[in-house]
Amino acid sequence: DTEVTQTPKHLVMGMTNKKSLKCEQHMGHRAMYWYKQKAKKPPELMFVYSYEKLSINESVPSRFSPECPNSSLLNLHLHALQPEDSALYLCASSQVMPRDDSLDYEQYFGPGTRLTVT
Amino acid sequence: AQSVAQPEDQVNVAEGNPLTVKCTYSVSGNPYLFWYVQYPNRGLQFLLKYITGDNLVKGSYGFEAEFNKSQTSFHLKKPSALVSDSALYFCAVRAAAGTGFQKLVFGTGTRLLVSP
């Protein structure tokens, strides 16, 4: 199974709502990623989890709160978002790289959640 | 800082003709380079990567890429384009080494349009 699943596929929320995005993989990957992609732009890294611990936060506003409850699941909790946060949110996973950089592994992406903030 | 550039917003090619999507890179140290493809309303799919070794890298769906150190390029190629190859293509470079995970920096993307 080389699939990364994301739910929901589409989400419309008001600026005062609280919602969560979910991501799941069963490939045994211990690195998981959240990206934000605006229309016709490349994905921008938001967060990286390695062995269920937050390794990178790319200066993302606190209205985005990631959570990695176990090695297969990754959540992104949303609260008090702004209209400019409307985007495609992509989850990805990969094997963890050895620290000597002797190997590298590709990331597997989910189909994304299309978020609209009204 | 590691970066990649994709100079073409769009590439048009007729079905059956060879295609090239260009990418140049700027890195300190060894380059770790990738190509991903994105179909409409979908996530990204890995095509191929260059870490070390042969300059010609073969990947999925008949794609290949040529690593050229002197020209700092990593162009994506396919000998015969299919209409189904029409998609958005991203070149990427690994930005952080020795961290155990993969931080990628993507180029701006090139839309490939293959006409019948």
Side-chain angles (χ1 to χ4, degrees), chain B residues 1-86:
Chain B
Q2 322 288 59
S3 66
V4 290
Q6 295 181 245
E8 302 157 315
D9 289 336
Q10 183 164 312
V11 169
N12 298 302
V13 64
E15 188 173 33
N17 284 359
L19 70 88
T20 298
V21 182
K22 295 179 180 177
C23 173
T24 58
Y25 66 89
S26 174
V27 302
S28 55
N30 296 324
Y32 294 73
L33 298 163
F34 303 81
W35 276 102
Y36 283 83
V37 60
Q38 186 174 30
Y39 296 98
N41 300 312
R42 300 289 299 276
L44 278 69
Q45 286 180 239
F46 168 78
L47 283 178
L48 48 81
K49 64 184 177 185
Y50 174 83
I51 306 301
T52 186
D54 291 340
N55 290 341
L56 186 63
V57 180
K58 293 192 182 296
S60 306
Y61 314 120
F63 283 93
E64 57 190 26
E66 188 172 7
F67 173 73
N68 188 316
K69 187 173 183 178
S70 62
Q71 297 185 6
T72 63
S73 66
F74 189 55
H75 301 333
L76 181 70
K77 300 183 178 186
K78 189 175 183 181
S80 178
L82 299 172
V83 172
S84 57
D85 292 330
S86 299

Side-chain angles (χ1 to χ4, degrees), chain A residues 2-6 23 27 29 33-37 43-45 89-94 106-112, chain B residues 36-38 42-46 102 104 106:
Chain A
T2 59
E3 189 179 21
V4 176
T5 59
Q6 290 187 245
C23 173
M27 293 177 278
H29 291 168
Y33 311 75
W34 278 116
Y35 290 87
K36 173 182 178 180
Q37 186 180 23
E44 297 176 355
L45 184 64
Y89 288 84
L90 295 166
C91 172
S93 71
S94 75
E106 60 269 23
Q107 293 183 28
Y108 290 80
F109 284 80
Chain B
Y36 283 83
V37 60
Q38 186 174 30
R42 300 289 299 276
L44 278 69
Q45 286 180 239
F46 168 78
Q102 187 190 64
L104 291 176
F106 289 89

Side-chain angles (χ1 to χ4, degrees), chain A residues 33 35 37 41-43 45 48 50 55-56 58 88 90 96-97 99 101 103-107 109-111 114, chain B residues 32 34 36 38 41-46 49 51 88 90 94 97-104 106-108 111:
Chain A
Y33 311 75
Y35 290 87
Q37 186 180 23
K41 297 290 186 182
L45 184 64
V48 180
S50 180
S55 298
I56 282 187
E58 292 287 275
L88 181 67
L90 295 166
V96 175
M97 322 297 164
R99 289 185 179 267
D101 289 336
L103 295 171
D104 207 317
Y105 302 108
E106 60 269 23
Q107 293 183 28
F109 284 80
R114 176 78 58 190
Chain B
Y32 294 73
F34 303 81
Y36 283 83
Q38 186 174 30
N41 300 312
R42 300 289 299 276
L44 278 69
Q45 286 180 239
F46 168 78
K49 64 184 177 185
I51 306 301
L88 186 58
F90 289 103
R94 183 174 175 182
T99 58
F101 50 84
Q102 187 190 64
K103 179 176 178 179
L104 291 176
F106 289 89
T108 50
R111 186 163 302 281

